[in-house]
Amino acid sequence: MSRTSELAGAVEVVAVELAWVLDCADPPTLASFWAGALGYTAGPYRQPYLELSDPRGHGPELLLQRVPEPKRGKNRMHVDLRVQDQDTKVERLVELGGRLLRPPFDDTGWWTAHVADPEGNELCVIVPPRP
């Protein structure tokens, strides 16, 4: 009997800890952008990784991983930053070296702005609809 068939009909509970890994050319430089964007703390750079962590211990870890190849094309997965003050957050991301790709627009009730980090990785700054 295979492991799959053994689990058929049963629920297996496994604890999973989420960590995001972002491939980049220069982790130390990108760390200042992402630490400022997320309110995270940057650890030391231990090639090829630089760890960013939530000082409150709530958010997932973000690892910046140095890779030799440049980013090509649109991200298949990206980060959404849900905020109450979109203008202030977008302004701060631009101050940190980011670039506004698309100004705020109504995405079915979610006000969304597309931003890129200094290496061109996309993220969205979103104001959720009010209840």
Side-chain angles (χ1 to χ4, degrees), residues 5-131:
S5 60
E6 286 176 14
L7 294 177
V11 177
E12 183 177 8
V13 179
V14 178
V16 174
E17 185 176 321
L18 179 63
W20 293 96
V21 179
L22 180 62
D23 290 349
C24 60
D26 187 0
T29 298
L30 217 49
S32 62
F33 175 86
W34 283 102
L38 300 173
Y40 275 26
T41 303
Y45 180 40
R46 295 187 179 104
Q47 287 195 25
Y49 299 106
L50 192 151
E51 176 188 350
L52 296 168
S53 59
D54 180 353
R56 299 165 300 147
H58 298 297
E61 173 183 55
L62 174 62
L63 290 175
L64 302 177
Q65 177 179 331
R66 183 166 195 229
V67 296
E69 65 276 356
K71 178 187 177 298
R72 292 190 178 100
K74 185 178 182 310
N75 293 13
R76 296 291 294 183
M77 182 180 290
H78 65 269
V79 173
D80 281 355
L81 303 179
R82 294 181 180 174
V83 300
Q84 295 304 309
D85 185 348
Q86 188 177 56
D87 292 338
T88 299
K89 189 59 156 183
V90 169
E91 184 178 300
R92 176 69 178 135
L93 295 175
V94 170
E95 288 171 2
L96 291 167
R99 189 177 77 235
L100 181 64
L101 299 176
R102 183 175 180 189
F105 64 96
D106 184 353
D107 186 7
T108 61
W110 296 72
W111 279 95
T112 303
H114 291 171
V115 178
D117 75 9
E119 290 193 11
N121 300 296
E122 298 97 1
L123 61 138
C124 293
V125 180
I126 296 176
V127 178
R130 299 188 190 240

